[in-house]
């Protein structure tokens, strides 16, 4: 979060200081002119500017939420580019104007004092409003780039509080800051941050289909750079540099940085001689509003400013209330009337007799349907393309009489509802046609027939693995019976890794798995419980000094159960839908048990087991690859890169025939392994949905 907070902290402190200086100068000018009674007008303008900035942020957020996923990418990318333009202009303007800001604002206020309350309100509103809009836009884009709002908002809040404290100190002449140097230094840092925002925005425009080159990568370091490490998080959060970037991103990032930073540095050098003329104090930019007041004492009286020209024909509260509330009302109207009308009020019936009742042709865009089960059976319901059976959205386990919302992005195409009761045939509603609206993602359905080939391949793989395992466990039992415990330790690991690589079949092994690979957790006697058996029972004895005699029976029992499993496996049911589920669940168990050291009974080989689990996952993905390639072509390259990264980390923990125990891993390395496994799990999470078997009519 703190890595994401830094860019927002910088923009909050810089923009807050700019706005605060402007307000300080406005207040001091009125005080110097003897017009303290006009201060409420200044604060009214300031509050209106704040209200406008908050309203602008709300409009951006709600507008983006009402768009399709592709349109959101294009919208966010466009705003990122605009934000970069505004920030760039702000950086150059402040570099030029820091030393003359006080004089410019005093001239404007002096003119406004002679023209009534409305003009003074407008002057303060416009002076602060620009800073507020720039801040809102840049914070919104940095939050989009970070993928979360807590860090950016926290950073911005800290920056604004700090800037307010600095402005108070400057106003009271408690502090002295060289504002020219401050804005120059922060400007250079902001240019670097803006380059990252530009790169992120260009990527969004590519994802949204506005710009080409979406798959033209300049580099892909995802396999060699640990994206979960602190340094990777810092670089990505602050600079928006990621392990994988397209050619356009790199060109935009590098080109912007080279051109803008060169012009900025050149401008600083050119301006330096003019800011330090002979006889003028070198501490430019330090003059606060109040020090200007002290230097120009008596000026207000000479100016003869008509401070008493305020109109008294209207209530004093009218202008402040109107100016503060109008921007909020405009923003609310934009949100309410500018967004596509939601379909939340449209209730669609789900049952065998009324499937799809109440469904009319929806408008393109993000829509919400209230799915109400009017039947007497629990049902699933899918929004499908009846021609291809592609699924756009689904609600599972909808009980009779209950209602649940389904949010779907609707594009041009044909739509129908498919209601699938817990018993009985599936029913498909009448189809409707939607015109326009671009494109949307749909999941091509998978049938049992589609999974029969991969299932047969995987059963063959498991069958061969079990045949190998029978010989390995018999060798292990013979080692222990003969008293060769050193050799037994090596043979134990070989056999255990073979079993661990068959992870996708665990659900099919029935009660054999508990007898072969059960854990001591939950047993009344723990590792000494009479029901503690299998690999981990033998492991505990081999690495805790047990005698060969005491281990002979557990080892022989292990070999017997493996033999029984091999004989039973060809006749066991293997649900085809288990294959996609296991693609994710094998590594879930790895993260829960192996990478925590929970299953280590003394051998210190949890990482070896994790390596075997990864091999099993790789084998499973190999048989599912043809189905995944046609449904999610971009998924497998990402997963392959994740696997290569995790494999590299595990290989580094292997030293010949030994492995580094999890508990002895360096904290950074352990975090890298956990992070790589977590990332792989996240990228594998769509597989069950992509390959879910759905009942058709």
């Amino acid at each position: 979060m703190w890595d994401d907070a830094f860019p927002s902290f910088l923009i909050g402190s810089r923009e807050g200081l700019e706005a605060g200086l402007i307000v300080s100068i406005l207040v001091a000018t009125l005080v110097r002119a003897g017009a303290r009674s006009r201060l409420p007008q200044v604060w009214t303008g300031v509050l209106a500017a704040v209200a406008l900035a908050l309203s602008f942020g709300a409009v951006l957020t709600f507008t983006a939420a009402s768009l399709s996923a592709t349109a959101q990418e294009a919208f966010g990318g466009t705003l990122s580019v605009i934000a970069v333009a505004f920030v760039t202009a702000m950086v150059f303007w402040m570099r030029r104007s820091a030393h003359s800001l006080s004089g410019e604002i005093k001239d404007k206020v002096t003119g406004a004092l002679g023209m009534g309350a409305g003009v003074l309100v407008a002057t303060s509103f416009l002076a602060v409003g620009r800073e507020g809009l720039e801040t809102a836009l840049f914070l919104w884009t940095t939050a989009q780039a970070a993928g979360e709002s807590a860090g950016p908002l926290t950073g911005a809040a800290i920056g604004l509080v700090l800037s307010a404290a600095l402005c108070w100190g400057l106003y009271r002449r408690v502090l002295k800051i060289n504002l020219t140097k401050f804005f120059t230094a922060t400007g250079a840092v902001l240019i670097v941050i803006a380059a990252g925002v530009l790169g992120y925005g260009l990527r969004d425009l590519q994802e949204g289909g506005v710009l080409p080159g979406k798959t033209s990568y300049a580099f892909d370091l995802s396999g060699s750079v640990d994206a979960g490490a602190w340094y990777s998080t810092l670089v990505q959060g602050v600079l928006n540099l990621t392990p994988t970037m397209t050619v356009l991103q790199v060109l935009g990032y590098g080109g912007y940085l080279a051109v803008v930073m060169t012009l900025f540095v050149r401008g600083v050098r050119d301006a330096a001689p003019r800011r330090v003329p002979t006889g003028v104090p070198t501490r430019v930019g330090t003059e606060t509003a109040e020090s200007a007041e002290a230097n120009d004492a008596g000026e207000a009286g000479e100016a003869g400013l008509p401070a008493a020209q305020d109109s008294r024909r209207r209530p004093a509260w009218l202008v402040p209330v109107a100016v503060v509330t109008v921007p909020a009302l405009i923003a609310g109207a934009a949100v309410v009337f500018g967004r596509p009308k939601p379909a939340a009020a449209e209730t669609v019936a789900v049952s065998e007799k009324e499937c799809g009742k109440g469904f009319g042709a929806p408008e393109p865009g993000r829509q919400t349907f209230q799915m109400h089960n009017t039947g007497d059976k629990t049902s699933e319901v899918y929004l499908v393309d009846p021609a291809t059976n592609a699924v756009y959205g689904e609600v599972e386990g909808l009980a009779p009489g209950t209602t649940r919302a389904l949010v779907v992005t609707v594009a041009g195409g044909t739509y129908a509802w498919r209601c699938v009761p817990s018993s009985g045939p599936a029913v498909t509603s009448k189809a409707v046609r939607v015109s326009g609206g671009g494109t949307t993602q749909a999941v091509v359905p998978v049938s049992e027939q589609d999974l029969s080939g991969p299932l047969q391949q995987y059963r063959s793989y498991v069958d061969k693995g079990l045949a190998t395992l029978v010989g390995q466990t018999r060798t292990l039992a013979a080692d222990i019976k003969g008293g060769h415990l050193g050799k037994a330790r090596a043979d134990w690991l070989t056999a255990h890794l073979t079993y661990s690589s068959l992870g996708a079949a665990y659900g099919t092994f029935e009660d054999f798995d508990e007898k072969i690979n059960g854990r001591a957790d939950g047993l009344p006697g723990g590792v000494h419980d009479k029901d503690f058996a299998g690999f981990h029972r033998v492991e505990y004895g081999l690495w805790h000094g047990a005698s060969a005699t005491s281990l002979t029976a557990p080892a022989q029992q292990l070999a017997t159960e493996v033999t029984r499993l091999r004989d039973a496996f060809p006749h066991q049911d293997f649900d085809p839908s288990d294959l996609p589920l296991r693609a994710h669940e094998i590594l879930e168990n790895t993260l829960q048990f192996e990478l925590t050291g929970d299953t280590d009974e003394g051998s210190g080989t949890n990482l070896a087991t994790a390596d075997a689990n990864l091999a099993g996952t790789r084998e499973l993905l190999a048989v599912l690859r043809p189905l995944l390639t046609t449904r999610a072509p971009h998924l497998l390259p990402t997963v392959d890169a994740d696997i290569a990264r995790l494999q590299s980390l595990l290989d580094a923990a292997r030293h010949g025939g030994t492995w580094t125990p999890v508990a002895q891993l360096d904290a950074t390395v352990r975090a890298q392994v956990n992070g790589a496994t977590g990332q792989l799990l996240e990228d594998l999470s769509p597989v069950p949905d992509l390959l879910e078997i759905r009942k058709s009519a």
Side-chain angles (χ1 to χ4, degrees):
M1 183 182 77
W2 297 112
D3 305 305
D4 297 329
F6 177 73
S8 299
F9 165 75
L10 188 63
I11 196 70
S13 58
R14 182 189 169 95
E15 292 282 357
L17 186 57
E18 288 184 31
L21 288 173
I22 291 171
V23 173
S24 298
I25 296 169
L26 288 170
V27 170
T29 303
L30 290 176
V31 171
R32 185 177 65 247
R36 289 180 178 271
S37 61
R38 308 289 290 274
L39 288 177
Q41 296 163 17
V42 171
W43 295 119
T44 298
V46 171
L47 288 174
V50 172
L52 178 64
L54 295 175
S55 302
F56 182 53
V59 170
L60 292 178
T61 301
F62 285 110
T63 300
S66 68
L67 300 174
S68 66
T70 302
Q72 285 182 25
E73 299 285 0
F75 180 73
T78 301
L79 289 181
S80 294
V81 174
I82 294 174
V84 170
F86 279 160
V87 169
T88 305
M90 176 265 291
V91 166
F92 280 91
W93 177 81
M94 204 60 195
R95 189 205 67 201
R96 294 192 305 268
S97 305
H99 61 287
S100 60
L101 184 64
S102 176
E104 293 178 7
I105 294 178
K106 283 189 288 184
D107 290 342
K108 291 181 180 179
V109 174
T110 300
L113 280 171
M115 300 179 68
V119 176
L120 187 56
V121 170
T123 299
S124 58
F125 171 78
L126 293 174
V128 179
R130 190 197 67 171
E131 315 297 337
L133 290 176
E134 287 177 352
T135 303
L137 180 57
F138 199 79
L139 289 180
W140 190 86
T141 55
T142 52
Q144 291 295 109
E148 53 98 13
S149 57
L153 289 179
T154 301
I158 295 173
L160 290 171
V161 170
L162 177 62
S163 65
L166 291 175
C167 287
W168 181 87
L170 291 171
Y171 184 83
R172 294 297 182 184
R173 288 194 285 181
V174 176
L175 299 175
K176 282 190 176 183
I177 299 176
N178 190 319
L179 294 177
T180 301
K181 290 184 177 180
F182 173 83
F183 286 121
T184 298
T186 56
V189 178
L190 272 178
I191 288 173
V192 177
I193 293 174
V197 173
L198 177 62
Y200 170 81
L202 292 176
R203 180 58 178 168
D204 269 359
L205 291 174
Q206 289 178 311
E207 294 286 348
V210 178
L211 295 177
K214 178 180 177 180
T215 58
S216 299
Y217 295 107
F219 55 83
D220 184 357
L221 304 178
S222 57
S224 55
V225 174
D226 180 14
W230 67 268
Y231 52 83
S232 298
T233 305
L234 180 65
V235 171
Q236 184 166 342
V238 176
L239 304 179
N240 266 304
L241 289 174
T242 59
T244 303
M245 296 182 71
T246 64
V247 173
L248 182 60
Q249 279 184 283
V250 173
L251 290 177
Y253 189 102
Y256 172 89
L257 198 59
V259 173
V260 176
M261 188 65 79
T262 299
L263 294 175
F264 182 78
V265 172
R266 182 179 299 170
V268 171
R269 291 174 178 173
D270 292 344
R274 293 194 299 272
R275 291 199 304 268
V276 193
T278 303
V280 177
T282 58
R283 200 166 178 75
V284 294
T286 58
E287 181 192 31
T288 66
E290 194 162 283
S291 64
E293 174 190 355
N295 292 336
D296 299 326
E299 181 180 318
E302 297 174 4
L305 298 175
Q309 289 185 3
D310 293 0
S311 172
R312 302 184 182 278
R313 289 178 295 176
R314 67 174 69 91
W317 53 265
L318 182 60
V319 172
V321 171
V323 175
V324 171
T325 57
V326 166
L329 292 175
I330 294 174
V335 170
V336 173
F337 299 108
R339 295 175 63 184
K341 186 178 179 180
E346 181 175 334
T347 300
V348 180
V350 178
S351 71
E352 294 175 276
K353 296 181 179 179
E354 296 183 315
C355 184
K357 182 180 179 180
F359 178 55
E363 295 292 327
R366 191 177 179 88
Q367 302 292 338
T368 301
F369 302 98
Q370 297 295 340
M371 312 309 300
H372 179 62
N373 190 341
T374 59
D376 57 1
K377 300 176 182 176
T378 298
S379 296
E380 297 179 357
V381 59
Y382 308 118
L383 182 61
V384 302
D385 180 343
T388 64
N389 290 324
V391 178
Y392 295 99
E394 63 184 300
V395 173
E396 297 181 343
L398 186 62
T402 60
T403 302
R404 279 161 60 186
L406 174 61
V407 180
V408 182
T409 299
V410 177
T414 305
Y415 297 85
W417 292 102
R418 178 161 296 147
C419 304
V420 185
S422 55
S423 61
V427 179
T428 303
S429 72
K430 181 181 178 181
V432 299
R433 179 74 185 174
V434 176
S435 301
T439 60
T440 188
Q441 294 288 334
V443 177
V444 180
V446 173
S447 65
E448 288 193 20
Q449 183 63 34
D450 293 328
L451 283 171
S452 63
L455 179 59
Q456 187 58 40
Q457 293 178 52
Y458 195 78
R459 288 188 70 105
S460 177
Y461 162 75
V462 173
D463 197 53
K464 292 178 181 177
L466 289 175
T468 301
L469 185 63
V470 167
Q472 292 172 341
T473 52
R474 287 175 178 173
T475 299
L476 172 62
D479 290 340
I480 293 176
K481 185 176 181 180
H484 308 298
L485 298 187
K487 185 174 184 298
R489 293 187 185 94
D491 289 339
W492 175 90
L493 180 59
T494 300
H496 188 242
L497 297 184
T498 297
Y499 184 79
S500 298
S501 67
L502 308 178
Y506 287 171
T508 308
F509 291 168
E510 299 173 351
D511 60 345
F512 285 108
D513 182 54
E514 185 65 27
K515 297 175 181 177
I516 294 173
N517 202 44
R519 295 180 294 117
D521 296 356
L523 296 176
V527 294
H528 303 294
D529 195 277
K530 62 182 180 59
D531 292 327
F532 183 36
F535 277 111
H536 292 301
R537 168 67 181 90
V538 176
E539 176 191 9
Y540 181 83
L542 286 174
W543 272 273
H544 284 84
S547 66
T549 301
S550 65
L551 288 175
T552 297
Q556 185 58 53
Q557 183 62 30
L558 171 62
T560 300
E561 294 298 339
V562 168
T563 301
R564 292 178 59 206
L565 173 59
R566 183 203 59 182
D567 295 338
F569 180 71
H571 310 291
Q572 291 177 327
D573 291 332
F574 199 140
D575 190 341
S577 62
D578 280 350
L579 282 181
L581 290 173
R582 297 295 185 268
H584 188 266
E585 290 176 348
I586 295 173
L587 290 175
E588 273 189 338
N589 289 338
T590 302
L591 193 61
Q592 181 180 359
F593 299 119
E594 273 67 51
L595 297 186
T596 59
D598 187 62
T599 54
D600 185 2
E601 296 295 354
S603 67
T605 58
N606 275 145
L607 292 182
T609 305
D611 184 71
N613 290 340
L614 184 62
T617 301
R618 189 185 290 110
E619 185 68 30
L620 180 58
L621 290 173
V623 302
L624 296 176
R625 186 171 291 269
L627 294 176
L628 290 172
T629 299
T630 58
R631 288 164 175 79
H634 302 299
L635 174 66
L636 286 175
T638 301
V639 168
D640 289 342
D642 291 343
I643 290 175
R645 179 160 147 257
L646 179 56
Q647 186 67 67
S648 176
L649 292 169
L650 293 175
D651 289 344
R654 183 175 185 174
H655 316 285
T658 62
W659 292 76
T660 302
V662 169
Q664 296 179 20
L665 284 175
D666 175 84
T668 301
V669 174
R670 187 168 183 176
Q672 289 176 341
V673 173
N674 290 336
T677 307
Q679 184 62 54
L680 178 53
L681 274 170
E682 182 178 340
D683 291 333
L684 284 172
S685 60
V687 173
D689 285 335
L690 289 170
L691 301 184
E692 180 182 354
I693 298 175
R694 294 176 171 89
K695 189 175 181 180
S696 61

